[in-house]
Amino acid sequence: MDASVGGRSATSRVGYAAAIAVNVVLLYIVNVFVSPDSVPFLTAGWNSVLWLIDLSLVAGVVVNAIYLGYDAAWFKAISDTALAGLTVLVAAQVLRVFPFDFTEYDFNWATTVRVVLTCVVVGS
């Protein structure tokens, strides 16, 4: 049984903190280690979608930080809907720009990535 403080369970707070940590780590990774120079299948188009990926990750950090102090059901519903909308925007833009070049690989990764991105757009 979770100990509730102000309507928030300890489990919820841990989940929000974990989401913040994951988003911060992802921000670091995509901005420090992921580039067309370091990842062979990325193209220069990556740089045109990176800002939107960053925006989505920062929004996740901000929303989860707010949830640590205030996570009323109505607010979470609105915030989660907004984050899902941002996810659709990011996936649609990545699909449109498609900053990947998988021509060096035997497997048809381009189709696989396009299908996954389309599922994200439709599923979100």
Side-chain angles (χ1 to χ4, degrees):
M1 185 167 185
D2 292 328
S4 291
V5 177
R8 290 174 301 283
S9 69
T11 303
S12 294
R13 289 190 307 276
V14 168
Y16 301 147
I20 291 168
V22 167
N23 282 322
V24 167
V25 168
L26 288 172
L27 268 168
Y28 181 75
I29 289 170
V30 299
N31 285 281
V32 174
F33 297 109
V34 179
S35 75
D37 295 330
S38 63
V39 180
F41 57 82
L42 285 180
T43 68
W46 173 256
N47 297 324
S48 70
V49 296
L50 181 57
W51 72 272
L52 198 51
I53 293 167
D54 286 344
L55 176 66
S56 179
L57 292 169
V58 168
V61 169
V62 169
V63 166
N64 280 285
I66 293 169
Y67 289 167
L68 285 171
Y70 184 75
D71 66 350
W74 70 269
F75 181 72
K76 278 190 56 66
I78 291 170
S79 302
D80 289 347
T81 301
L83 288 176
L86 190 52
T87 298
V88 168
L89 180 63
V90 171
Q93 184 67 4
V94 171
L95 189 56
R96 188 183 74 75
V97 172
F98 204 72
F100 310 106
D101 178 9
F102 298 112
T103 56
E104 298 296 316
Y105 300 90
D106 293 333
F107 184 78
N108 189 357
W109 284 107
T111 299
T112 302
V113 171
R114 287 181 196 279
V115 167
V116 169
L117 288 168
T118 301
C119 288
V120 169
V121 170
V122 172
S124 290

